Amino acid sequence: MAEIDAMAVWRRTNLPEPRWNRVVHDRSGNYIGKPDAYFEEVELAWEIDSYDFHFAKEQYANTLDRNARYAAAGIAVVQTLPGRLRSEPRLVAAEITAAYLAAAARLEVRRERHA
């Protein structure tokens, strides 16, 4: 259900369609994660993280490990609680859009430094 709600929120944005529920690997082929949505062109992962599946002790540790892998690979991540997809869709859409634009700007700066 959260994925359907996430797609509805994404449709409120003018962003390109992300890769939904696809495994992401680093440049060496190592597993990073399987974000709910991944905007590959700007290296932005969107995770819909519920209390039920991410905040018990072991699950929380797994979530932190996942986020560390994203960070190590240079991937920005936005985490959203599922309930916000319905209670605050406009705000979540604005957050995703802002994160996308920030990720795009970050990549542009990185490209300029390496040019």
Side-chain angles (χ1 to χ4, degrees), residues 13-27:
T13 72
N14 289 319
L15 301 177
E17 184 158 6
R19 293 175 27 189
W20 297 99
N21 297 303
R22 297 270 246 350
V23 173
V24 176
H25 295 90
D26 66 16
R27 288 177 176 81

Side-chain angles (χ1 to χ4, degrees), residues 2 9-10 17 24-25 33-34 37-39 46 53 56 70 72-75 82 85 97 100-101 103-104 109 111 113:
V9 167
W10 163 74
E17 184 158 6
V24 176
H25 295 90
K34 186 178 177 185
Y38 184 57
F39 298 92
W46 184 19
F53 296 108
Y70 284 137
I75 297 170
L85 298 170
T97 300
Y100 182 96
L101 295 173
V109 167
R111 286 185 191 123
R113 286 183 185 160

Side-chain angles (χ1 to χ4, degrees), residues 54-67 69:
H54 295 273
F55 292 103
K57 188 175 181 178
E58 182 178 336
Q59 293 147 336
Y60 182 67
N62 291 339
T63 299
L64 292 180
D65 289 344
R66 177 202 70 198
N67 289 349
R69 290 191 305 272

Side-chain angles (χ1 to χ4, degrees), residues 1-9 20 36 46 48-50 80-83 85-86:
M1 186 60 98
E3 291 173 6
I4 293 169
D5 292 339
M7 287 178 185
V9 167
W20 297 99
D36 295 297
W46 184 19
I48 312 304
D49 290 337
S50 69
T80 302
L81 290 169
L85 298 170
R86 288 190 176 190

